[in-house]
Amino acid sequence: MRVLVIGSGGREHALAWALARSPRVEALLIAPGNAGTAACGENVPIAADDLDGLLRLVEARRVDLTVVGPEGPLSSGIVDRFRAAGRPIFGPTQAAARLESSKAFAKAFMRDHAIPTAASAVFRDFDAARDYLHALDGPVVVKASGLAAGKGVVVCDDAAEAETALRQMMVERVFGAAADEVLIEERLAGPELSLLAFCDGATVVPMVPARDHKRVFDGDRGPNTGGMGAYAPPPDADAALVARITDEALRPVVAGMAAAGAPYVGVLYAGLMLTDDGPKVLEFNCRFGDPETQAVLPLLASDLAEALLACVEGRLSADLVRFNAGACATVVMAAPGYPEAYPTGAPIHGLDEAAATGALLFHAGTARRNAQVVTNGGRVLAVSAIGPNVAAAAARVYEGVACIQFEGAHYRADIGQGSGGAGEQG
């Protein structure tokens, strides 16, 4: 097969790395890719949101399967466009992708299909939202309904913090149109869990569960980010819990979408909180997570290309998805200042030394200038390592991280320690 991966982050590098290992993949294109994906296949300078350019590329290069990494093209209808042109593509349609592109839609869908989730209310008017907020008793979470690159969520300790978040979203418009609608949601307590699953419109096959760390600083402090690290599988997420979440959250989505005439094909990602009342869905994403993908795919024992193609062709089965025993830990190395403004263009040193430790290096915000790899984004690298358990994997990953230097490099030193990810209601 000739395969195209769309995107330029760490998730896309992990996808390209896994696909390049498949005996079914003859040629691999990544658009636009980064300095790391160039080692897996051919980078093509077409932006992920250039749907016309991507379709022309697929037709010109006779691509057999396209894999969409980021959420933007999905919400813009790339799957609908490619299907109309007869081009196989892995991902949900624009209608199905509303589960991620509109948190308001997702909440209504969960309510209609009895999927356990936090209580919430949706507002388009600041004054009405503020009045509702001050009538509540207890901490809340304020969320922009639309796509905000993983940053449109503010976990608030009191009404004053929540009002500030509302004002920033609805009055100051820090997230633009993503906050045309805003959710005020009850704040749940418990450890966070991410469960990704392959879907072919009818069948659901879960992957190994993962736990990510969204806050920028150690101890789950500071603002939310797109993710500062992850590990898989968490020791508290056994097979029985995965089966329960699949039955209570994932299968109802696929059945509900099919009944609505929008069969769900692609990866369905449930972000959950493990509360005293059982697992509750915080959000759905409609693609591989980042950085969860960098912790999950290194454990995949079966052929990723075969699983993706089976989803597209409507023949997914559990025997096509197998994972190795053990665990994987991933640490994100970020530019100074992330998730706010950050510099780019800093030379990155020590990549070969890190790889020599056995670490897997997934590039995210990188570029190549002449022979030098430099920083080119907020999250620069995701460093992953495998071990017999989470503690061993975490110890190994930090050996790799210690080898890498770039000016102002920031990373959390506690990925995989303790419960991790607790209270990450994102």
Side-chain angles (χ1 to χ4, degrees), residues 35 115 224 282 331:
I115 297 171
N224 272 346
L282 304 175
V331 174

Side-chain angles (χ1 to χ4, degrees), residues 69-127:
E71 61 273 22
L74 295 172
S75 67
S76 296
I78 188 171
V79 170
D80 308 75
R81 293 279 299 278
F82 275 48
R83 285 187 182 178
R87 298 297 175 177
I89 183 168
F90 177 84
T93 61
Q94 186 175 38
R98 290 183 67 197
L99 282 169
E100 178 171 7
S101 63
S102 171
K103 289 184 173 65
F105 172 83
K107 277 290 183 181
F109 184 94
M110 285 187 269
R111 181 183 63 246
D112 293 345
H113 294 86
I115 297 171
T117 188
S120 66
V122 180
F123 297 92
R124 298 183 67 91
D125 176 77
F126 170 75
D127 291 331

Side-chain angles (χ1 to χ4, degrees), residues 192-206:
E192 175 271 348
L193 190 73
S194 301
L195 184 60
L196 286 72
F198 295 104
C199 307
D200 71 353
T203 302
V204 179
V205 179

Side-chain angles (χ1 to χ4, degrees), residues 201-233:
T203 302
V204 179
V205 179
M207 303 182 209
V208 293
R211 178 163 290 144
D212 74 335
H213 298 254
K214 293 187 179 70
R215 301 294 189 102
V216 71
F217 298 124
D218 289 6
D220 295 325
R221 296 179 297 109
N224 272 346
T225 70
M228 292 300 296
Y231 58 96

Side-chain angles (χ1 to χ4, degrees), residues 127-174:
D127 291 331
R130 181 179 56 189
D131 292 344
Y132 174 84
L133 170 68
H134 286 286
L136 295 177
D137 181 23
V140 299
V141 179
V142 178
K143 298 182 176 183
S145 179
L147 298 177
K151 301 172 188 175
V153 176
V154 182
V155 180
C156 307
D157 291 324
D158 53 42
E161 284 188 14
E163 182 172 337
T164 297
L166 281 175
R167 188 175 298 278
Q168 290 175 337
M169 292 185 192
M170 305 186 82
V171 178
E172 299 172 13
R173 308 287 290 173
V174 295

Side-chain angles (χ1 to χ4, degrees), residues 342-357:
Y342 50 81
T344 60
I348 304 172
H349 303 285
L351 296 175
D352 291 341
E353 291 81 355
T357 70

Side-chain angles (χ1 to χ4, degrees), residues 27-391:
L28 183 63
L29 308 176
I30 309 96
N34 59 40
T37 59
C40 303
E42 177 188 348
N43 285 352
V44 182
I46 300 176
D49 59 359
D50 182 359
L51 306 194
D52 292 334
L54 292 167
L55 185 55
R56 286 195 296 270
L57 171 68
V58 164
E59 292 173 335
R61 300 293 290 270
R62 295 181 294 116
V63 169
D64 300 297
L65 177 66
T66 297
V67 182
V68 185
E71 61 273 22
L74 295 172
S75 67
S76 296
I78 188 171
V79 170
D80 308 75
R81 293 279 299 278
F82 275 48
R83 285 187 182 178
R87 298 297 175 177
I89 183 168
F90 177 84
T93 61
Q94 186 175 38
R98 290 183 67 197
L99 282 169
E100 178 171 7
S101 63
S102 171
K103 289 184 173 65
F105 172 83
K107 277 290 183 181
F109 184 94
M110 285 187 269
R111 181 183 63 246
D112 293 345
H113 294 86
I115 297 171
T117 188
S120 66
V122 180
F123 297 92
R124 298 183 67 91
D125 176 77
F126 170 75
D127 291 331
R130 181 179 56 189
D131 292 344
Y132 174 84
L133 170 68
H134 286 286
L136 295 177
D137 181 23
V140 299
V141 179
V142 178
K143 298 182 176 183
S145 179
L147 298 177
K151 301 172 188 175
V153 176
V154 182
V155 180
C156 307
D157 291 324
D158 53 42
E161 284 188 14
E163 182 172 337
T164 297
L166 281 175
R167 188 175 298 278
Q168 290 175 337
M169 292 185 192
M170 305 186 82
V171 178
E172 299 172 13
R173 308 287 290 173
V174 295
F175 298 118
D180 284 348
E181 291 184 306
V182 171
L183 281 73
I184 299 176
E185 184 176 274
E186 69 169 322
R187 183 171 169 180
L188 302 176
E192 175 271 348
L193 190 73
S194 301
L195 184 60
L196 286 72
F198 295 104
C199 307
D200 71 353
T203 302
V204 179
V205 179
M207 303 182 209
V208 293
R211 178 163 290 144
D212 74 335
H213 298 254
K214 293 187 179 70
R215 301 294 189 102
V216 71
F217 298 124
D218 289 6
D220 295 325
R221 296 179 297 109
N224 272 346
T225 70
M228 292 300 296
Y231 58 96
D236 58 348
D238 59 15
L241 179 62
V242 170
R244 179 179 179 181
I245 294 168
T246 302
D247 288 340
E248 295 183 359
L250 301 179
R251 287 198 176 100
V253 168
V254 173
M257 281 294 176
Y264 192 99
V265 176
V267 167
L268 180 60
Y269 165 134
L272 306 115
M273 191 75 80
L274 305 182
T275 75
D276 291 341
D277 297 324
K280 293 189 177 184
V281 176
L282 304 175
E283 64 176 357
F284 287 115
N285 291 337
C286 294
R287 33 72 189 183
F288 283 94
D290 190 340
E292 290 95 339
T293 303
Q294 295 92 305
V296 169
L297 287 187
L299 297 173
L300 183 66
S302 50
D303 189 324
L304 178 62
E306 176 59 28
L308 301 182
L309 190 63
C311 290
V312 172
E313 295 178 347
R315 54 176 180 83
L316 178 66
S317 60
D319 63 297
L320 294 177
V321 181
R322 303 184 310 279
F323 287 89
N324 291 315
C328 183
T330 299
V331 174
V332 169
M333 302 187 71
Y338 176 80
E340 305 301 331
Y342 50 81
T344 60
I348 304 172
H349 303 285
L351 296 175
D352 291 341
E353 291 81 355
T357 70
L360 299 169
L361 308 182
F362 297 118
H363 291 234
T366 68
R368 186 174 292 276
R369 294 183 182 171
N370 299 319
Q372 178 66 56
V373 178
V374 301
T375 64
N376 193 43
R379 292 188 294 174
V380 177
L381 294 163
V383 184
S384 298
I386 296 171
N389 52 52
V390 171

